[in-house]
Amino acid sequence: MQMKKMIAIAGLTLAMPLAAFADDDAIKALNLQGAKADQVKTIMDNYKDQKEDIKDRAHEEINALKDRKKEQLDAVLTDAEMDQLEKWKETKEDRYKDKHKECKKLMDKYDD
């Protein structure tokens, strides 16, 4: 879980300058003024709003899908099998974390 958070923070940090460029900086870079600048800003703002809406809906749908999967597995697997499945998932996640310890070390270095 910690690794996912660090990767997300790193991605957002890298994306922030690009997001800033997409609005006012793009208008400045193109030397737009007046109505055209307003139109570009409106287009960019609408895009951002729609993109966030899509992300929110997708997140909700994915969570609903996960819930349905769990319900279906609960109906098919015994409690012992469900426990075994959870342990398998944890083991898989632990192996993933082990593979990326070097990345974690680098991220920790920059957290200080």
Side-chain angles (χ1 to χ4, degrees), residues 2 19-21 25 33-34 37 39 46 56-57 64 68-69 78 81 84 90 94 96 102 108:
Q2 186 77 9
F21 177 76
D25 290 346
Q33 297 175 0
Q39 286 176 321
N46 287 341
D56 291 343
R57 285 194 314 268
R68 282 193 302 272
K69 177 184 79 170
T78 65
E81 290 169 331
Q84 188 177 358
E90 289 171 9
D94 288 344
Y96 176 80
E102 199 61 37
D108 288 344

Side-chain angles (χ1 to χ4, degrees), residues 12 17 22 24 27 55 57 72 84 86 91 93 105-106:
L12 290 173
D24 295 331
I27 291 168
K55 282 183 180 180
R57 285 194 314 268
Q72 291 172 347
Q84 188 177 358
E86 284 302 315
T91 302
E93 288 173 4
K105 287 179 188 176
L106 288 172

Side-chain angles (χ1 to χ4, degrees), residues 8-108:
I9 290 169
L12 290 173
T13 302
L14 292 172
M16 285 174 64
L18 296 176
F21 177 76
D23 290 335
D24 295 331
D25 290 346
I27 291 168
K28 289 176 188 173
L30 295 171
N31 198 26
L32 300 176
Q33 297 175 0
K36 192 176 247 185
D38 292 341
Q39 286 176 321
V40 169
K41 180 150 179 53
T42 299
I43 291 167
M44 296 291 210
D45 289 344
N46 287 341
Y47 168 79
K48 274 196 233 176
D49 292 343
Q50 291 174 18
K51 182 178 171 183
E52 286 304 312
D53 288 344
I54 290 169
K55 282 183 180 180
D56 291 343
R57 285 194 314 268
H59 186 69
E60 290 169 8
E61 287 182 35
I62 288 170
N63 284 338
L65 182 62
K66 286 179 184 178
D67 291 343
R68 282 193 302 272
K69 177 184 79 170
K70 185 177 180 339
E71 288 173 9
Q72 291 172 347
L73 288 172
D74 279 339
V76 173
L77 300 176
T78 65
D79 289 342
E81 290 169 331
M82 284 298 290
D83 290 342
Q84 188 177 358
L85 179 61
E86 284 302 315
K87 287 178 186 174
W88 174 79
K89 286 180 185 177
E90 289 171 9
T91 302
K92 185 177 168 186
E93 288 173 4
D94 288 344
R95 275 189 255 146
Y96 176 80
K97 289 176 187 175
D98 289 343
K99 285 182 179 181
H100 296 88
K101 280 186 180 179
E102 199 61 37
C103 179
K104 182 181 178 343
K105 287 179 188 176
L106 288 172
M107 294 299 294
D108 288 344

